[in-house]
Amino acid sequence: MFSAKNRSSTPGVVSFDFVKEERRVGIYYFYILDADFGPGFIKICTYFPYPAKVWLNGHEWAKRQARHAGIAFRELANGFASCEDPAGLQAICDRFGPGDIQSFFDHWSSVVPTPFTTMTAGRLFLELSMRR
């Protein structure tokens, strides 16, 4: 974590120096069981700008969508061993994208207690970046 210190000893003169410091920060984990995504979590740090991490499993999402579509499959812990309709399953997987993750985050960040209140909503923006 970086902090700023005024290195000037002259009154009224400001000269900032940025230094890396070791600090303990609070982190809140919200474990979620979502109807479409299954298990996941949102991790929010307690310091500004409140960085958050969303963890979801795309395979679990695809399994739930396949069940909803009536596609029979044999599952692995994190994937599929076999399926009766490979083309249908592929179509399900192909439609999964960043918008699905964004809608998950938008929904759950309005449900769990976060620092993103209506007071700060007009002054802050939330942006997710994706990592596989």
Side-chain angles (χ1 to χ4, degrees), residues 2-10 12-19:
F2 287 91
S3 66
K5 297 184 180 190
N6 185 1
R7 62 182 169 195
S8 174
S9 58
T10 308
V13 175
V14 178
S15 177
F16 284 111
D17 190 18
F18 296 93
V19 294

Side-chain angles (χ1 to χ4, degrees), residues 44-67:
I44 301 175
C45 296
T46 59
Y47 59 88
F48 187 80
Y50 310 112
K53 177 181 182 180
V54 177
W55 182 92
L56 300 169
N57 187 326
H59 289 109
E60 187 63 33
W61 178 87
K63 289 177 194 178
R64 289 170 181 259
Q65 301 306 308
R67 282 188 192 102

Side-chain angles (χ1 to χ4, degrees), residues 13-114:
V13 175
V14 178
S15 177
F16 284 111
D17 190 18
F18 296 93
V19 294
K20 187 172 182 178
E21 294 187 334
E22 300 263 338
R23 292 194 181 160
R24 293 180 185 251
V25 296
I27 298 174
Y28 292 105
Y29 286 85
F30 298 98
Y31 294 93
I32 297 164
L33 183 57
D34 186 80
D36 291 328
F37 283 93
F41 70 80
I42 297 176
K43 174 179 111 172
I44 301 175
C45 296
T46 59
Y47 59 88
F48 187 80
Y50 310 112
K53 177 181 182 180
V54 177
W55 182 92
L56 300 169
N57 187 326
H59 289 109
E60 187 63 33
W61 178 87
K63 289 177 194 178
R64 289 170 181 259
Q65 301 306 308
R67 282 188 192 102
H68 187 272
I71 298 173
F73 60 89
R74 193 166 55 100
E75 65 183 294
L76 298 172
N78 194 30
F80 298 89
S82 64
C83 143
E84 73 174 15
D85 181 8
L89 180 59
Q90 185 63 54
I92 287 171
C93 294
D94 288 345
R95 74 172 194 247
F96 181 71
D100 298 301
I101 298 169
Q102 185 70 55
S103 67
F104 174 92
F105 180 71
D106 292 344
H107 169 72
W108 286 106
S109 65
S110 69
V111 173
V112 300
T114 68

